[in-house]
Amino acid sequence: MASAPSPVASRRELLGQLIRFGLVGLGSTLLYAAVYWPLATFVMWPVLAVVIAFAVAVTVGFFLHSRWSFRGHEKDEDAKTKAQFLAVQTAGMLMNAAFTWIAVDLMQGPTWWPLVPAVLITPFLTFALNRWWVFR
């Protein structure tokens, strides 16, 4: 029977996951911004642009997170894992849509304003939910 990892090993593993998640998240955030900002500024209602940009970023993020960020904690990519990942990402998308609606529609700010909380708040929530619920 395998013994539980030491507290130091557990912290090191968590730090590694956080770093990998951050790198994938940075790439996903840049991809999200690259899709969101032009659509929101020139093409459509910014809240709708959030949905499209999130769909693109989530598609890429799922594969990178499941195979690299949380490696060693992946479950079989069954329907339950995919549904849990989708639920977490939907929560993140709804947060970003709310940030966008408040910043752009209510406050009449520029379309880049909601990118600030989308980068500083949403990734930490989705990391925690992915780590402790989806890829545990």
Side-chain angles (χ1 to χ4, degrees):
M1 179 156 68
S3 63
S6 73
V8 171
S10 293
R11 282 192 297 269
R12 190 174 350 168
E13 177 184 339
L14 180 60
L15 180 60
Q17 286 177 347
L18 185 57
I19 290 168
R20 291 188 304 270
F21 182 87
L23 291 172
V24 170
L26 178 61
S28 293
T29 299
L30 293 173
L31 179 60
Y32 171 83
V35 173
Y36 162 80
W37 188 80
L39 288 176
T41 303
F42 304 112
V43 179
M44 64 185 58
W45 181 43
V47 175
L48 182 57
V50 167
V51 176
I52 293 169
F54 225 89
V56 171
V58 164
T59 300
V60 172
F62 177 78
F63 294 104
L64 293 174
H65 285 312
S66 66
R67 287 172 177 76
W68 188 56
S69 299
F70 296 103
R71 70 175 179 230
H73 283 269
E74 60 274 297
K75 297 188 253 176
D76 291 332
E77 287 185 17
D78 58 10
K80 181 181 176 187
T81 300
K82 290 176 182 174
Q84 288 171 315
F85 184 81
L86 182 61
V88 168
Q89 297 311 314
T90 299
M93 191 235 3
L94 291 173
M95 285 179 62
N96 284 0
F99 296 144
T100 302
W101 181 71
I102 291 166
V104 177
D105 288 353
L106 292 182
M107 298 175 66
Q108 298 297 304
T111 55
W112 64 264
W113 276 9
L115 291 172
V116 175
V119 169
L120 298 177
I121 297 171
T122 306
F124 294 102
L125 171 70
T126 58
F127 171 79
L129 290 172
N130 275 307
R131 172 63 174 93
W132 285 289
W133 186 48
V134 180
F135 300 109
R136 54 177 182 224

